[in-house]
Amino acid sequence: MQPLIDNARMFGQCPEEFARLAEGQSPDVLFITCSDSRVVPALITGARPGELFELRTAGNIVPPYASEHPTSEAATIEYAVEVLGVSDIVVCGHSHCGAVGALVRGDDLDAVPAVRDWLSHATPRPTGAAQDPEVAEGVQAHVLTQLLRLRSYPFIEKKLKERQLTLHAWYYEVHKGAVRAHSAETDAFEAL
């Protein structure tokens, strides 16, 4: 913890660099990714403060849209699209994902009921090689499922039809520091 505290003390030493951030935000991209500490969106993309609007959830799950009982995740997505006017949404899964790995293997999650219930939103359950520590196949399929889920949000469907929004599926390889993006032409995740 001490290195984090030391950095936080030094972080605000140049207030002029941050003054413009008080005026508001206008990110172009909503970046939806896993809560995993090894996935750092700003590090992966090189984004500076104010350039990415982030949504981090266990397993980068986008829950079903429900206007009657909205989730925090749905509210974040709606705000990014309708208020901030982002033009792109990236759903970024990653190798060695514990959440997707648990789903692929069919792990018993009864000891962590909140996790179990949250992961139930990952329907259909991702499949892949249960013995693969990277869970590459499962994560990539899962990311594409989350894009389909986003398309079911009425305000996203509208923006897509109006060509005001583009969706992207990424797969981050933790062990390599590499990013692959899904290509609609080849239906494969290819190096950026």
Side-chain angles (χ1 to χ4, degrees), residues 65-139:
Y65 181 78
S67 59
E68 295 171 8
H69 302 286
T71 63
S72 170
E73 295 79 17
T76 299
I77 295 165
E78 182 180 68
Y79 187 82
V81 173
E82 297 289 24
V83 177
L84 297 176
V86 298
S87 57
D88 295 273
I89 299 176
V90 174
V91 176
C92 182
H94 67 94
S95 67
H96 305 86
C97 182
V100 174
L103 291 167
V104 167
R105 291 185 302 272
D107 290 355
D108 178 1
L109 300 173
D110 287 342
V112 283
V115 173
R116 178 198 62 217
D117 293 350
W118 173 250
L119 294 182
S120 72
H121 290 299
T123 55
R125 193 178 111 206
T127 59
Q131 69 280 6
D132 175 15
E134 293 178 34
V135 282
E137 182 183 340
V139 170

Coordinates of all heavy atoms in Angstrom, one line a residue, residues 65-139:
Y65 N -30.7 -5.3 -20.2 CA -31.3 -4.0 -20.0 C -32.7 -4.1 -19.4 O -33.5 -4.9 -19.8 CB -31.4 -3.3 -21.4 CG -32.0 -1.9 -21.2 CD1 -31.3 -0.8 -20.8 CD2 -33.4 -1.6 -21.5 CE1 -31.8 0.4 -20.6 CE2 -33.9 -0.4 -21.3 CZ -33.1 0.7 -20.9 OH -33.6 1.9 -20.7
A66 N -32.9 -3.3 -18.3 CA -34.2 -3.4 -17.7 C -34.5 -1.9 -17.2 O -33.8 -1.5 -16.2 CB -34.2 -4.3 -16.5
S67 N -35.4 -1.3 -17.8 CA -35.7 0.1 -17.5 C -36.4 0.2 -16.1 O -36.3 1.2 -15.4 CB -36.5 0.8 -18.5 OG -37.7 0.1 -18.8
E68 N -37.1 -0.9 -15.7 CA -37.9 -0.8 -14.4 C -36.9 -0.9 -13.2 O -37.2 -0.3 -12.2 CB -38.9 -2.0 -14.4 CG -40.0 -1.8 -15.4 CD -40.8 -3.1 -15.5 OE1 -40.7 -4.0 -14.7 OE2 -41.7 -3.1 -16.5
H69 N -35.9 -1.8 -13.3 CA -34.9 -1.9 -12.3 C -33.5 -1.8 -12.8 O -32.8 -2.8 -13.0 CB -35.1 -3.3 -11.6 CG -36.5 -3.5 -11.0 ND1 -36.9 -2.9 -9.9 CD2 -37.6 -4.2 -11.5 CE1 -38.2 -3.2 -9.6 NE2 -38.6 -4.1 -10.6
P70 N -33.1 -0.6 -13.2 CA -31.8 -0.4 -13.8 C -30.7 -0.8 -12.9 O -30.8 -0.6 -11.7 CB -31.8 1.1 -14.2 CG -32.7 1.7 -13.2 CD -33.8 0.7 -12.9
T71 N -29.6 -1.3 -13.5 CA -28.4 -1.6 -12.8 C -27.4 -0.4 -12.9 O -27.6 0.5 -13.7 CB -27.7 -2.8 -13.4 OG1 -27.3 -2.5 -14.7 CG2 -28.6 -4.1 -13.4
S72 N -26.5 -0.4 -12.0 CA -25.4 0.6 -12.1 C -24.7 0.6 -13.4 O -24.4 1.6 -14.0 CB -24.4 0.4 -11.0 OG -23.3 1.2 -11.1
E73 N -24.5 -0.6 -13.9 CA -23.8 -0.8 -15.2 C -24.6 -0.2 -16.3 O -24.1 0.5 -17.2 CB -23.6 -2.3 -15.5 CG -22.6 -2.9 -14.5 CD -23.3 -3.3 -13.2 OE1 -24.5 -3.3 -13.1 OE2 -22.5 -3.5 -12.2
A74 N -25.9 -0.5 -16.4 CA -26.8 0.1 -17.4 C -26.8 1.6 -17.3 O -26.8 2.3 -18.4 CB -28.2 -0.5 -17.3
A75 N -26.9 2.2 -16.1 CA -26.9 3.6 -15.9 C -25.6 4.2 -16.5 O -25.6 5.3 -17.1 CB -27.1 4.0 -14.5
T76 N -24.5 3.6 -16.2 CA -23.2 4.0 -16.7 C -23.1 4.0 -18.2 O -22.7 5.0 -18.9 CB -22.0 3.2 -16.1 OG1 -22.0 3.3 -14.7 CG2 -20.7 3.6 -16.7
I77 N -23.6 3.0 -18.8 CA -23.6 2.9 -20.3 C -24.5 3.9 -20.9 O -24.2 4.6 -21.8 CB -24.1 1.4 -20.7 CG1 -23.0 0.4 -20.3 CG2 -24.3 1.4 -22.2 CD1 -23.5 -1.0 -20.3
E78 N -25.7 4.1 -20.3 CA -26.7 5.1 -20.8 C -26.1 6.5 -20.7 O -26.2 7.3 -21.6 CB -27.9 5.0 -20.0 CG -29.0 6.0 -20.4 CD -30.3 5.9 -19.6 OE1 -30.2 6.2 -18.4 OE2 -31.3 5.4 -20.2
Y79 N -25.4 6.8 -19.6 CA -24.8 8.1 -19.4 C -23.7 8.4 -20.4 O -23.7 9.4 -21.0 CB -24.2 8.2 -18.0 CG -23.7 9.6 -17.6 CD1 -24.6 10.6 -17.2 CD2 -22.4 9.9 -17.8 CE1 -24.1 11.9 -16.9 CE2 -21.9 11.2 -17.5 CZ -22.8 12.2 -17.1 OH -22.3 13.5 -16.8
A80 N -22.9 7.4 -20.7 CA -21.8 7.5 -21.6 C -22.4 7.8 -23.0 O -21.8 8.7 -23.7 CB -21.0 6.2 -21.7
V81 N -23.4 7.1 -23.4 CA -24.0 7.2 -24.7 C -24.9 8.5 -24.9 O -24.7 9.2 -25.8 CB -24.8 5.9 -25.1 CG1 -25.5 6.1 -26.4 CG2 -23.8 4.7 -25.2
E82 N -25.8 8.7 -23.9 CA -26.8 9.7 -24.1 C -26.3 11.1 -23.6 O -26.7 12.1 -24.1 CB -28.1 9.3 -23.3 CG -28.7 8.1 -23.9 CD -29.4 8.3 -25.3 OE1 -29.0 9.2 -26.0 OE2 -30.3 7.6 -25.6
V83 N -25.5 11.1 -22.6 CA -25.1 12.4 -22.0 C -23.7 12.8 -22.6 O -23.5 13.9 -23.0 CB -25.1 12.4 -20.5 CG1 -24.6 13.7 -19.9 CG2 -26.5 12.1 -19.9
L84 N -22.7 11.9 -22.5 CA -21.4 12.2 -22.9 C -21.2 12.1 -24.4 O -20.3 12.7 -25.0 CB -20.4 11.3 -22.2 CG -20.3 11.5 -20.7 CD1 -19.3 10.5 -20.1 CD2 -19.9 12.9 -20.3
G85 N -22.1 11.3 -25.1 CA -22.1 11.2 -26.5 C -20.9 10.5 -27.1 O -20.3 10.8 -28.1
V86 N -20.4 9.4 -26.3 CA -19.3 8.7 -26.9 C -19.6 8.1 -28.2 O -20.8 7.8 -28.6 CB -18.9 7.5 -25.9 CG1 -18.5 8.0 -24.6 CG2 -20.0 6.5 -25.8
S87 N -18.6 8.0 -29.1 CA -18.8 7.5 -30.4 C -18.4 6.0 -30.6 O -18.7 5.4 -31.6 CB -18.0 8.4 -31.4 OG -16.7 8.4 -31.1
D88 N -17.7 5.5 -29.6 CA -17.2 4.1 -29.6 C -17.4 3.5 -28.3 O -17.2 4.2 -27.2 CB -15.8 4.1 -30.0 CG -15.5 4.6 -31.4 OD1 -15.6 3.8 -32.4 OD2 -15.3 5.8 -31.6
I89 N -17.7 2.2 -28.3 CA -17.7 1.4 -27.1 C -16.8 0.2 -27.3 O -17.0 -0.5 -28.3 CB -19.1 0.9 -26.7 CG1 -20.1 2.1 -26.4 CG2 -19.1 0.0 -25.5 CD1 -21.5 1.7 -26.1
V90 N -15.9 0.0 -26.4 CA -15.0 -1.2 -26.5 C -15.4 -2.1 -25.3 O -15.4 -1.7 -24.2 CB -13.5 -0.8 -26.3 CG1 -12.6 -2.0 -26.3 CG2 -13.1 0.1 -27.5
V91 N -15.6 -3.4 -25.7 CA -15.7 -4.4 -24.6 C -14.4 -5.2 -24.7 O -14.1 -5.8 -25.7 CB -17.0 -5.3 -24.8 CG1 -17.0 -6.4 -23.7 CG2 -18.3 -4.5 -24.7
C92 N -13.7 -5.2 -23.6 CA -12.4 -5.8 -23.6 C -12.3 -6.9 -22.6 O -12.3 -6.6 -21.4 CB -11.3 -4.7 -23.3 SG -9.6 -5.3 -23.3
G93 N -12.2 -8.1 -23.1 CA -12.0 -9.3 -22.2 C -10.5 -9.5 -22.1 O -9.7 -8.9 -22.8
H94 N -10.1 -10.4 -21.2 CA -8.7 -10.7 -21.1 C -8.4 -12.1 -20.8 O -9.2 -12.9 -20.3 CB -8.1 -9.8 -20.0 CG -8.6 -10.1 -18.6 ND1 -8.0 -11.0 -17.8 CD2 -9.8 -9.8 -17.9 CE1 -8.6 -11.1 -16.6 NE2 -9.7 -10.4 -16.7
S95 N -7.2 -12.5 -21.1 CA -6.7 -13.9 -20.9 C -6.6 -14.1 -19.3 O -6.6 -13.1 -18.6 CB -5.3 -14.1 -21.5 OG -4.3 -13.3 -20.8
H96 N -6.7 -15.3 -18.9 CA -6.5 -15.7 -17.5 C -7.7 -15.1 -16.7 O -7.4 -14.8 -15.5 CB -5.2 -15.3 -17.0 CG -4.0 -15.9 -17.8 ND1 -3.5 -15.2 -18.9 CD2 -3.3 -17.0 -17.6 CE1 -2.5 -16.0 -19.4 NE2 -2.4 -17.1 -18.7
C97 N -8.8 -14.9 -17.3 CA -10.0 -14.3 -16.5 C -10.6 -15.3 -15.6 O -11.0 -16.4 -16.0 CB -11.0 -13.8 -17.5 SG -12.4 -13.0 -16.7
G98 N -10.6 -14.9 -14.3 CA -11.1 -15.8 -13.3 C -12.6 -16.0 -13.4 O -13.1 -17.1 -13.3
A99 N -13.3 -15.0 -13.8 CA -14.8 -15.1 -13.9 C -15.2 -16.0 -15.1 O -16.0 -16.9 -14.9 CB -15.4 -13.7 -14.1
V100 N -14.6 -15.7 -16.2 CA -14.9 -16.5 -17.4 C -14.4 -17.9 -17.2 O -15.1 -18.9 -17.6 CB -14.4 -15.9 -18.7 CG1 -14.6 -16.8 -19.9 CG2 -15.1 -14.5 -18.9
G101 N -13.2 -18.1 -16.6 CA -12.7 -19.4 -16.3 C -13.6 -20.2 -15.5 O -13.8 -21.4 -15.7
A102 N -14.2 -19.6 -14.4 CA -15.1 -20.3 -13.5 C -16.3 -20.7 -14.3 O -16.8 -21.9 -14.1 CB -15.5 -19.4 -12.4
L103 N -16.8 -19.9 -15.2 CA -18.0 -20.3 -16.0 C -17.6 -21.4 -17.0 O -18.4 -22.4 -17.1 CB -18.5 -19.1 -16.8 CG -19.1 -18.0 -16.0 CD1 -19.3 -16.7 -16.8 CD2 -20.4 -18.5 -15.4
V104 N -16.5 -21.3 -17.7 CA -16.1 -22.4 -18.6 C -15.9 -23.7 -17.9 O -16.4 -24.8 -18.4 CB -14.8 -22.0 -19.3 CG1 -14.2 -23.1 -20.1 CG2 -15.1 -20.8 -20.3
R105 N -15.3 -23.7 -16.7 CA -15.1 -24.9 -16.0 C -16.3 -25.4 -15.2 O -16.4 -26.5 -14.7 CB -13.9 -24.7 -15.0 CG -12.6 -24.5 -15.6 CD -11.5 -24.4 -14.5 NE -11.7 -23.3 -13.6 CZ -11.3 -22.1 -13.8 NH1 -10.6 -21.8 -14.8 NH2 -11.5 -21.2 -12.8
G106 N -17.3 -24.5 -15.0 CA -18.5 -24.9 -14.3 C -18.2 -25.0 -12.8 O -18.7 -25.8 -12.1
D107 N -17.3 -24.1 -12.3 CA -16.9 -24.1 -10.9 C -18.1 -23.9 -10.0 O -19.1 -23.2 -10.3 CB -15.9 -23.0 -10.6 CG -14.6 -23.2 -11.2 OD1 -14.3 -24.3 -11.8 OD2 -13.7 -22.3 -11.1
D108 N -18.1 -24.5 -8.8 CA -19.1 -24.4 -7.8 C -18.8 -23.1 -7.1 O -17.8 -22.9 -6.4 CB -19.0 -25.5 -6.8 CG -20.0 -25.4 -5.6 OD1 -20.8 -24.4 -5.6 OD2 -20.0 -26.3 -4.7
L109 N -19.7 -22.1 -7.2 CA -19.5 -20.8 -6.6 C -20.5 -20.5 -5.5 O -20.7 -19.3 -5.1 CB -19.7 -19.7 -7.7 CG -18.7 -19.8 -8.9 CD1 -19.1 -18.8 -10.0 CD2 -17.3 -19.6 -8.4
D110 N -21.0 -21.5 -4.9 CA -21.9 -21.4 -3.8 C -21.3 -20.6 -2.6 O -22.0 -20.0 -1.8 CB -22.5 -22.7 -3.3 CG -23.5 -23.3 -4.3 OD1 -24.0 -22.5 -5.2 OD2 -23.7 -24.5 -4.3
A111 N -20.0 -20.7 -2.4 CA -19.3 -20.0 -1.3 C -19.2 -18.5 -1.5 O -19.0 -17.8 -0.6 CB -17.9 -20.6 -1.1
V112 N -19.4 -18.1 -2.7 CA -19.5 -16.7 -3.1 C -20.8 -16.4 -3.9 O -20.7 -16.2 -5.1 CB -18.2 -16.3 -3.9 CG1 -17.0 -16.1 -3.0 CG2 -17.9 -17.2 -5.0
P113 N -21.9 -16.3 -3.1 CA -23.2 -16.2 -3.8 C -23.4 -14.9 -4.6 O -24.0 -14.9 -5.6 CB -24.2 -16.3 -2.6 CG -23.4 -16.0 -1.4 CD -22.0 -16.4 -1.7
A114 N -22.8 -13.8 -4.2 CA -22.9 -12.6 -5.0 C -22.2 -12.7 -6.3 O -22.7 -12.3 -7.4 CB -22.4 -11.4 -4.2
V115 N -21.0 -13.3 -6.3 CA -20.3 -13.6 -7.5 C -21.1 -14.6 -8.4 O -21.2 -14.3 -9.6 CB -18.9 -14.2 -7.2 CG1 -18.2 -14.6 -8.5 CG2 -18.0 -13.2 -6.5
R116 N -21.6 -15.6 -7.8 CA -22.3 -16.6 -8.5 C -23.5 -16.0 -9.2 O -23.8 -16.2 -10.4 CB -22.8 -17.7 -7.6 CG -23.7 -18.8 -8.2 CD -24.5 -19.6 -7.2 NE -25.4 -18.7 -6.5 CZ -25.7 -18.8 -5.2 NH1 -25.1 -19.7 -4.5 NH2 -26.5 -17.9 -4.6
D117 N -24.3 -15.2 -8.5 CA -25.5 -14.5 -9.0 C -25.1 -13.5 -10.1 O -25.8 -13.4 -11.1 CB -26.3 -13.9 -7.9 CG -26.9 -15.0 -7.0 OD1 -26.8 -16.2 -7.3 OD2 -27.4 -14.6 -5.9
W118 N -24.0 -12.8 -9.9 CA -23.6 -11.8 -10.9 C -23.2 -12.5 -12.2 O -23.6 -12.1 -13.3 CB -22.4 -11.0 -10.4 CG -21.8 -10.1 -11.5 CD1 -20.6 -10.2 -12.2 CD2 -22.5 -9.0 -12.2 NE1 -20.5 -9.3 -13.1 CE2 -21.6 -8.5 -13.2 CE3 -23.7 -8.4 -12.0 CZ2 -21.9 -7.4 -14.0 CZ3 -24.0 -7.3 -12.8 CH2 -23.1 -6.8 -13.8
L119 N -22.4 -13.6 -12.1 CA -22.0 -14.4 -13.3 C -23.1 -15.0 -14.0 O -23.0 -15.4 -15.2 CB -20.9 -15.4 -12.9 CG -19.6 -14.8 -12.4 CD1 -18.6 -15.9 -12.1 CD2 -19.0 -13.8 -13.4
S120 N -24.3 -15.2 -13.3 CA -25.5 -15.8 -14.0 C -25.9 -14.8 -15.2 O -26.6 -15.3 -16.1 CB -26.6 -16.0 -13.0 OG -27.2 -14.8 -12.6
H121 N -25.5 -13.6 -15.2 CA -25.8 -12.7 -16.3 C -25.1 -13.0 -17.6 O -25.4 -12.5 -18.6 CB -25.5 -11.2 -15.9 CG -26.4 -10.6 -14.9 ND1 -27.8 -10.5 -15.1 CD2 -26.2 -10.2 -13.7 CE1 -28.3 -10.0 -14.0 NE2 -27.4 -9.7 -13.1
A122 N -24.1 -13.9 -17.4 CA -23.2 -14.2 -18.6 C -23.9 -15.4 -19.3 O -23.5 -16.5 -19.3 CB -21.8 -14.6 -18.2
T123 N -25.0 -15.1 -20.0 CA -25.7 -16.1 -20.7 C -25.7 -15.8 -22.2 O -25.8 -14.6 -22.6 CB -27.2 -16.2 -20.3 OG1 -27.8 -14.9 -20.4 CG2 -27.3 -16.7 -18.9
P124 N -25.5 -16.8 -23.1 CA -25.2 -18.1 -22.7 C -23.8 -18.3 -22.0 O -22.9 -17.4 -22.2 CB -25.2 -18.9 -24.0 CG -24.8 -17.9 -25.0 CD -25.4 -16.6 -24.5
R125 N -23.7 -19.3 -21.2 CA -22.4 -19.6 -20.5 C -21.3 -19.8 -21.6 O -21.5 -20.6 -22.5 CB -22.6 -20.8 -19.6 CG -21.4 -20.9 -18.7 CD -21.7 -22.1 -17.8 NE -20.7 -23.1 -18.1 CZ -20.8 -24.4 -18.0 NH1 -21.9 -24.9 -17.5 NH2 -19.8 -25.2 -18.3
P126 N -20.2 -19.1 -21.4 CA -19.1 -19.3 -22.4 C -18.5 -20.7 -22.3 O -18.5 -21.3 -21.3 CB -18.1 -18.2 -22.0 CG -18.5 -17.7 -20.7 CD -19.9 -18.1 -20.4
T127 N -18.2 -21.2 -23.5 CA -17.5 -22.5 -23.5 C -16.1 -22.4 -24.0 O -15.7 -21.3 -24.5 CB -18.3 -23.4 -24.5 OG1 -18.3 -22.8 -25.8 CG2 -19.8 -23.6 -24.0
G128 N -15.4 -23.4 -23.9 CA -14.0 -23.4 -24.3 C -13.3 -24.6 -23.6 O -13.9 -25.4 -22.9
A129 N -12.0 -24.6 -23.8 CA -11.2 -25.7 -23.2 C -11.0 -25.4 -21.8 O -10.3 -24.4 -21.4 CB -9.8 -25.8 -23.9
A130 N -11.6 -26.2 -20.9 CA -11.6 -26.0 -19.5 C -10.2 -26.0 -18.9 O -9.9 -25.4 -17.9 CB -12.5 -27.0 -18.8
Q131 N -9.3 -26.8 -19.5 CA -7.9 -26.9 -19.0 C -7.0 -25.7 -19.5 O -5.9 -25.6 -19.1 CB -7.3 -28.2 -19.4 CG -7.0 -28.4 -20.9 CD -8.3 -28.8 -21.7 OE1 -9.4 -28.8 -21.3 NE2 -8.0 -29.1 -23.0
D132 N -7.5 -24.9 -20.4 CA -6.7 -23.8 -20.9 C -6.6 -22.6 -19.9 O -7.6 -22.0 -19.6 CB -7.3 -23.2 -22.2 CG -6.6 -22.0 -22.8 OD1 -5.5 -21.7 -22.4 OD2 -7.3 -21.4 -23.7
P133 N -5.5 -22.4 -19.3 CA -5.4 -21.3 -18.3 C -5.7 -19.9 -18.8 O -6.1 -19.0 -18.1 CB -3.9 -21.4 -17.8 CG -3.2 -22.1 -18.8 CD -4.2 -23.0 -19.5
E134 N -5.5 -19.7 -20.1 CA -5.8 -18.4 -20.7 C -7.3 -18.2 -21.0 O -7.7 -17.1 -21.1 CB -5.0 -18.3 -22.1 CG -3.5 -18.2 -22.0 CD -2.9 -18.1 -23.3 OE1 -3.4 -17.5 -24.3 OE2 -1.8 -18.7 -23.5
V135 N -8.0 -19.3 -21.0 CA -9.4 -19.3 -21.4 C -9.7 -18.4 -22.6 O -10.8 -17.8 -22.7 CB -10.4 -19.0 -20.2 CG1 -10.6 -20.2 -19.3 CG2 -10.0 -17.8 -19.4
A136 N -8.8 -18.5 -23.6 CA -8.9 -17.6 -24.7 C -10.2 -17.7 -25.5 O -10.9 -16.8 -25.8 CB -7.7 -17.8 -25.7
E137 N -10.5 -19.0 -25.8 CA -11.8 -19.2 -26.6 C -13.0 -18.8 -25.9 O -13.9 -18.1 -26.4 CB -11.8 -20.7 -26.9 CG -13.0 -21.1 -27.8 CD -13.1 -22.7 -28.0 OE1 -12.1 -23.4 -27.8 OE2 -14.2 -23.1 -28.3
G138 N -13.1 -19.1 -24.6 CA -14.2 -18.7 -23.8 C -14.3 -17.2 -23.6 O -15.4 -16.7 -23.7
V139 N -13.2 -16.5 -23.4 CA -13.3 -15.1 -23.2 C -13.7 -14.4 -24.5 O -14.5 -13.5 -24.5 CB -11.9 -14.6 -22.7 CG1 -11.8 -13.0 -22.7 CG2 -11.6 -15.0 -21.3

